[in-house]
Amino acid sequence: MGLILYELDGCPYCEKAANALDDAGVDYETVWVDAMHSERNEVKRVSGQRGVPVLVDDDHGVTMAESENILTYVERTFA
């Protein structure tokens, strides 16, 4: 399955995470989430919380939230 990035349209933190993946040349799937926190059930299912961005890396068995964590992970793993 590879990488999945859960994003909210217009979210600057999500954009930072997506830009880091793009800059690293990594292929990933984007899952756009609902603006209402209460409707983000899939995000909660995979990460235990409803905030975005969330990165799921099935190849490495990693799921993480928080854009700064994602930026560090992408730099260390794919750069």
Side-chain angles (χ1 to χ4, degrees):
M1 191 178 278
L3 291 171
I4 301 171
L5 182 63
Y6 291 84
E7 294 186 66
L8 172 64
D9 190 31
C11 166
Y13 304 106
C14 298
E15 190 172 318
K16 286 172 73 172
N19 287 342
L21 290 165
D22 291 340
D23 290 347
V26 178
D27 290 329
Y28 64 97
E29 175 186 346
T30 299
V31 175
W32 297 103
V33 301
D34 196 288
M36 298 280 295
H37 274 92
S38 61
E39 298 297 320
R40 297 182 191 166
N41 295 328
E42 185 176 0
V43 176
K44 179 146 173 81
R45 180 183 58 77
V46 299
S47 69
Q49 50 88 46
R50 288 187 162 93
V52 289
V54 169
L55 180 68
V56 177
D57 182 350
D58 284 333
D59 294 339
H60 292 100
V62 172
T63 298
M64 67 178 52
E66 300 295 331
S67 61
E68 290 302 318
N69 294 339
I70 293 169
L71 296 177
T72 299
Y73 178 75
V74 168
E75 182 178 311
R76 290 183 180 166
T77 306
F78 304 108

